[in-house]
Amino acid sequence: NAGVTQTPKFRVLKTGQSMTLLCAQDMNHEYMYWYRQDPGMGLRLIHYSVGEGTTAKGEVPDGYNVSRLKKQNFLLGLESAAPSQTSVYFCASSYGTSGGQETQYFGPGTRLLVL
Amino acid sequence: AQSVTQLGSHVSVSEGALVLLRCNYSSSVPPYLFWYVQYPNQGLQLLLKYTSAATLVKGINGFEAEFKKSETSFHLTKPSAHMSDAAEYFCAVSDQRSHSGGGADGLTFGKGTHLIIQP
């Protein structure tokens, strides 16, 4: 099993450009998450999905959109990138809720630089 | 709202010495607590988690943590540090309420502690 994979690994954007980050998991997990990691800030939840066709906002959703058309994929979109979105983005997945005690499995991350 | 505080953004210990990484949480309902480790340029990997069974939890690589409700703490320890333990460590909290539709799903992370091992 590949686990959780993310594409691309690194990207440089200019302000105002758009892009989509792809997350894929082969563990048949129901829940998927997008986090961003900034120095000294830990990880913060952007959006999450509790199943195919469903998405919800997390702590820092502004400037991002997501889609979950297939159970194994979770896409994160930036419609008009801003320098404040320079970050490392992590995708995670878990089987589904058991009251919040389930382990989340993380991808290797995507480094995004917005100039 | 739940929150996590990790005391010390950087902790330095000698190889073979005790490792102690501190984590305090805030939650109005019984929490689930996690420690994750992040090696350079990699994703996060679960070390251990507390899910209301035993208060002393053993994880991978010789790490363990003890849940102390009276102190709202979940500190991570390892008796003898190894050079390979050098990494970033994150404490995280989740609770049942967040998974019943009452709020944001996912984990709430602390800001992380960078563990440095001196030879």
Side-chain angles (χ1 to χ4, degrees):
Chain A
N1 288 347
V4 180
T5 58
Q6 293 183 232
T7 308
K9 289 184 171 57
F10 178 70
R11 183 77 183 268
V12 179
L13 287 180
K14 294 181 179 178
T15 297
Q17 287 185 317
S18 64
M19 77 164 294
T20 300
L21 284 67
L22 172 63
C23 175
Q25 53 93 5
D26 61 1
M27 297 175 282
N28 201 34
H29 285 172
E30 289 292 335
Y31 278 38
M32 297 187 74
Y33 311 83
W34 276 108
Y35 294 89
R36 60 177 288 173
Q37 182 182 27
D38 302 293
M41 298 291 291
L43 279 77
R44 292 179 291 169
L45 183 65
I46 305 171
H47 285 280
Y48 65 98
S49 168
V50 301
E52 182 178 318
T54 71
T55 63
K57 294 180 180 180
E59 179 186 356
V60 288
D62 294 342
Y64 305 95
N65 56 75
V66 289
S67 64
R68 183 110 180 259
L69 299 180
K70 294 183 179 180
K71 184 177 183 179
Q72 63 268 33
N73 295 337
F74 195 28
L75 279 63
L76 178 70
L78 287 73
E79 291 186 348
S80 179
S84 61
Q85 294 178 303
T86 293
S87 187
V88 181
Y89 292 86
F90 286 99
C91 177
S93 69
S94 63
Y95 281 104
T97 186
S98 294
Q101 62 183 291
E102 294 186 355
T103 299
Q104 292 187 18
Y105 296 85
F106 284 79
T110 294
R111 290 183 178 274
L112 176 64
L113 174 62
V114 182
L115 301 175
Chain B
Q2 56 199 13
S3 65
V4 173
T5 301
Q6 291 183 240
L7 293 177
S9 59
H10 291 79
V11 171
S12 180
V13 302
S14 299
E15 190 174 18
L18 171 71
V19 175
L20 170 61
L21 303 183
R22 299 178 186 274
C23 172
N24 288 88
Y25 69 90
S26 172
S27 178
S28 58
V29 298
Y32 302 119
L33 294 158
F34 304 77
W35 274 101
Y36 280 86
V37 60
Q38 183 181 31
Y39 298 104
N41 299 313
Q42 294 187 25
L44 279 72
Q45 177 184 3
L46 181 71
L47 273 177
L48 49 81
K49 64 180 179 181
Y50 167 76
T51 58
S52 73
T55 57
L56 182 61
V57 182
K58 294 186 183 299
I60 62 171
N61 301 338
F63 284 94
E64 63 181 38
E66 186 173 8
F67 172 69
K68 292 187 176 181
K69 183 179 179 180
S70 61
E71 299 178 5
T72 60
S73 68
F74 190 56
H75 301 332
L76 181 71
T77 61
K78 182 175 180 177
S80 178
H82 190 274
M83 294 300 290
S84 61
D85 295 327
E88 190 85 13
Y89 291 79
F90 292 96
C91 182
V93 64
S94 176
D95 65 62
Q96 190 166 4
R97 179 182 59 190
S98 71
H99 288 260
S100 62
D105 213 334
L107 296 167
T108 298
F109 285 86
K111 295 182 177 181
T113 297
H114 185 61
L115 178 62
I116 301 163
I117 310 298
Q118 303 282 1

